[in-house]
Amino acid sequence: MADLNNIPIFPGARLDLLRPSSPAVYHQKEVITEVPRCRQLVHVLQRECIISVAGEGVALGREGPLTLFLVGTFYGKVYAFDCLVNNELFDKGGLRLLLENTKVLKVAFSCCFLSAALYTQFAVRLRNVFDTQIAHLVIRELEGQKLPERLTLFDICQCYSGSGNNYGWRTDVKDMYLRRIGDYWSQRPLTCEMLEFAADDVMSFIPEVYRRQSEFLEEHRLLPKFKARVEEEILVEINQEVKNMRGERIEAIVMGVLRDLDKQYKDKTMNLEELSDDQLYALHLLQYDDASKITPRIDKLKTDYIMNEMKAIENDLYTDQVMIAGRNGLGDDLKTWERHPDENVKNKARMLRQAIYTLILKEIGRRYSGFSVPQVFTELEKQALRSVTPVSSSDLNFDPFVLGQHWILVEHDIDQALFNLRYGHPHIQISKDFSNRLKTYENLDVPENIQMKAKLLLSIQSSKGTTYA
């Protein structure tokens, strides 16, 4: 083994510190809300070689608020910094210094959304991170997979340690709460159950998952590649250029896998059931309008895949309705499929999208404890709220919660568009559908502030020309 003290990637990491005779007991939990106590703990934690970090929030990301930040130690202690109660813990409390400290290694799981929330909401730039999700992907690539899929935290624990069984049932219970209570992590006071769930999120991957992954990466000389991928993970939801580069890298792999697939079945009929995991995932990632650029057979295979996906979505509408609202990218997928040249695909996608919007609007009032800021909703919930077409600010045809949230979201969208047009890229445009919606507000009894902002936005857009995004 190489001299671990000389590894340039993780200067604080020492594997010999990660071989305890028995697993850590991590029932020592402390909630921190005061700046003096936070500063005291930061001073102590900065002397650690390795800590684990995690974050809880509502639709956590660039806009979705981070409400609870977790730090775990190899001695079994969990510190829950309640940044919803006190948002000065990162600045005045010193947490920024800890997270930007390059001498302290932070072990995390799929840190892109946590990184984005820290950066946009608290001006914190994560440094020196060991991401267990990225480690898994790099290891799978070495084993021959070209497009390994991301795993859940539970599956990572199952794969690299025996601890997965300890968290399985609690993961199921937590997921049930999160599906039914959209703003679960914004509710206060924190309950013992919430703290247990949070502790699982920050302690489940240390020490065993981290130890096994880091040893494997070092043994197979994968650390430089891993370091680059972790840096990409940290920045992908912050920097659009990094996001584009990742997209281009994955797109090139997808096209390569599918071209090889077409050659493999050159004189045979292709069925979805015969495809490998890489080939199926490549089909999943492929945009349907790119499929025809490969061959007509790949185009047909992509259409078959879309139909299978819509059957699964339709089944979920009847068997697992709560899951639908949180499914990433579903609304965008359905909108894309509505432009498919096959009428069956087009009509099925439109029907499913309308059914999902109806379901979400029916249940959304139960998922949130009161009127909320737009940032807390999932993207699919936002799309459903935007689909509402009230004719007045108090249209009795709509649920009061849905109507109120609709107008809050509309104003948020207008504010964002005004900011982009005034201060963003000079060529940023609003969509034609959005513009047409704004024009209707001139003759409707909508909230006065929205009507005024809509007129201003249309005026600015008109002065820039009438082109649309």
Side-chain angles (χ1 to χ4, degrees):
M1 271 193 163
D3 182 2
L4 297 179
N5 292 317
N6 294 324
I7 294 177
I9 296 174
F10 306 119
R14 285 291 306 275
L15 296 183
D16 57 326
L17 299 177
L18 306 177
R19 297 186 176 92
S21 58
S22 60
V25 177
Y26 56 89
H27 292 295
Q28 302 176 51
K29 294 178 284 293
E30 179 182 349
V31 179
I32 298 91
T33 59
E34 300 298 329
V35 166
R37 177 56 177 159
C38 184
R39 294 180 65 86
Q40 183 183 37
L41 287 174
V42 167
H43 180 71
V44 172
L45 291 169
Q46 288 202 98
R47 288 180 284 182
E48 297 284 338
C49 293
I50 309 169
I51 59 176
S52 59
V53 297
E56 310 292 0
V58 186
L60 184 66
R62 284 182 61 88
E63 293 189 341
L66 172 67
T67 60
L68 191 67
F69 182 73
L70 290 305
V71 174
T73 74
F74 281 82
Y75 303 102
K77 293 183 179 179
V78 175
Y79 299 106
F81 297 90
D82 195 337
C83 44
L84 180 65
V85 171
N86 188 344
N87 61 10
E88 296 184 335
L89 297 180
F90 286 95
D91 188 11
K92 295 182 179 179
L95 281 176
R96 178 190 290 111
L97 299 176
L98 175 66
L99 296 177
E100 295 183 350
N101 188 330
T102 57
K103 295 182 180 179
V104 180
L105 178 65
K106 300 95 186 169
V107 185
F109 169 77
S110 203
C111 72
C112 59
F113 293 112
L114 172 61
S115 172
L118 288 169
Y119 186 81
T120 57
Q121 298 167 37
F122 299 100
V124 174
R125 206 288 202 183
L126 269 178
R127 299 186 187 277
N128 196 20
V129 175
F130 185 102
D131 193 301
T132 53
Q133 179 78 272
I134 301 303
H136 166 74
L137 298 179
V138 171
I139 290 169
R140 283 290 184 263
E141 287 174 9
L142 179 71
E143 294 172 348
Q145 276 194 266
K146 294 182 179 180
L147 289 167
E149 292 192 57
R150 291 178 174 239
L151 299 183
T152 65
L153 177 57
F154 171 72
D155 289 335
I156 289 284
C157 293
Q158 286 280 76
C159 191
Y160 295 96
S161 77
S163 65
N165 292 329
N166 299 331
Y167 310 115
W169 70 270
R170 283 182 292 203
T171 298
D172 291 340
V173 173
K174 184 183 77 172
D175 287 347
M176 179 188 71
Y177 278 123
L178 293 179
R179 290 179 181 185
R180 297 186 181 280
I181 307 173
D183 53 359
Y184 180 76
W185 288 112
S186 70
Q187 299 192 3
R188 294 296 183 272
L190 291 167
T191 65
C192 292
E193 193 172 47
M194 293 171 78
L195 287 174
E196 284 293 335
F197 293 155
D200 284 350
D201 284 347
V202 77
M203 294 300 292
S204 55
F205 42 79
I206 60 170
E208 193 66 15
V209 172
Y210 166 72
R211 180 179 65 81
R212 291 189 177 184
Q213 288 185 336
S214 57
E215 287 182 341
F216 187 98
L217 293 170
E218 183 191 358
E219 180 182 349
H220 293 84
R221 300 181 180 180
L222 293 170
L223 287 174
K225 177 181 179 180
F226 172 65
K227 178 186 177 182
R229 290 286 183 85
V230 170
E231 189 69 5
E232 178 187 83
E233 183 77 357
I234 291 171
L235 297 175
V236 72
E237 293 296 326
I238 298 172
N239 187 307
Q240 188 61 44
E241 185 177 349
V242 173
K243 194 166 193 172
N244 292 341
M245 290 174 62
R246 172 185 276 189
E248 290 168 4
R249 173 173 61 82
I250 294 175
E251 182 181 4
I253 298 172
V254 166
M255 299 301 278
V257 168
L258 294 176
R259 286 193 182 101
D260 291 342
L261 171 63
D262 190 62
K263 293 176 183 177
Q264 178 184 345
Y265 286 85
K266 189 172 184 180
D267 300 318
K268 301 177 184 177
T269 302
M270 288 187 284
N271 296 310
L272 293 174
E273 295 77 11
E274 300 172 1
L275 303 187
S276 68
D277 290 342
D278 273 345
Q279 291 164 344
L280 282 171
Y281 195 44
L283 276 177
H284 172 76
L285 295 174
L286 179 69
Q287 295 295 320
Y288 85 83
D289 47 358
D290 290 333
S292 59
K293 299 176 184 177
I294 305 176
T295 64
R297 290 192 303 166
I298 295 297
D299 188 38
K300 181 181 181 305
L301 205 59
K302 175 63 179 180
T303 298
D304 291 343
Y305 183 85
I306 291 173
M307 291 301 289
N308 275 12
E309 281 286 283
M310 289 196 291
K311 286 180 183 177
I313 294 167
E314 187 172 25
N315 184 62
D316 286 340
L317 276 172
Y318 295 102
T319 61
D320 195 3
Q321 296 180 350
V322 179
M323 181 277 296
I324 288 288
R327 182 165 170 175
N328 290 331
L330 177 56
D332 292 333
D333 285 341
L334 290 170
K335 285 183 177 180
T336 300
W337 298 342
E338 286 180 39
R339 300 194 300 270
H340 197 285
D342 186 310
E343 287 296 324
N344 291 330
V345 173
K346 187 183 300 184
N347 294 334
K348 188 79 167 179
R350 185 180 298 111
M351 181 273 292
L352 283 174
R353 185 168 63 87
Q354 291 171 350
I356 290 168
Y357 285 177
T358 299
L359 173 65
I360 288 174
L361 295 175
K362 179 181 177 183
E363 298 294 329
I364 196 169
R366 301 176 189 176
R367 276 176 46 80
Y368 296 92
S369 54
F371 282 98
S372 306
V373 294
Q375 291 90 335
V376 306
F377 297 116
T378 68
E379 192 55 42
L380 192 55
E381 288 172 335
K382 290 178 185 177
Q383 290 170 1
L385 287 169
R386 291 186 183 108
S387 72
V388 173
T389 55
V391 296
S392 71
S393 57
S394 57
D395 193 326
L396 298 179
N397 292 311
F398 296 96
D399 175 84
F401 179 87
V402 170
L403 186 63
Q405 292 299 156
H406 167 78
W407 291 123
I408 291 173
L409 182 59
V410 166
E411 184 168 14
H412 172 78
D413 288 343
I414 296 174
D415 287 340
Q416 190 66 51
L418 283 169
F419 180 86
N420 288 338
L421 287 171
R422 283 174 164 175
Y423 307 111
H425 193 281
H427 300 299
I428 286 179
Q429 302 156 357
I430 62 177
S431 72
K432 188 171 184 178
D433 288 343
F434 187 40
S435 178
N436 289 338
R437 173 69 72 92
L438 296 180
K439 290 175 183 177
T440 66
Y441 294 157
E442 296 180 7
N443 302 314
L444 295 178
D445 180 25
V446 302
E448 185 177 353
N449 55 328
I450 291 179
Q451 197 171 57
M452 292 174 60
K453 290 179 180 180
K455 288 180 180 179
L456 176 60
L457 178 55
L458 289 171
S459 174
I460 294 174
Q461 176 68 6
S462 177
S463 67
K464 289 177 173 284
T466 55
T467 53
Y468 300 100

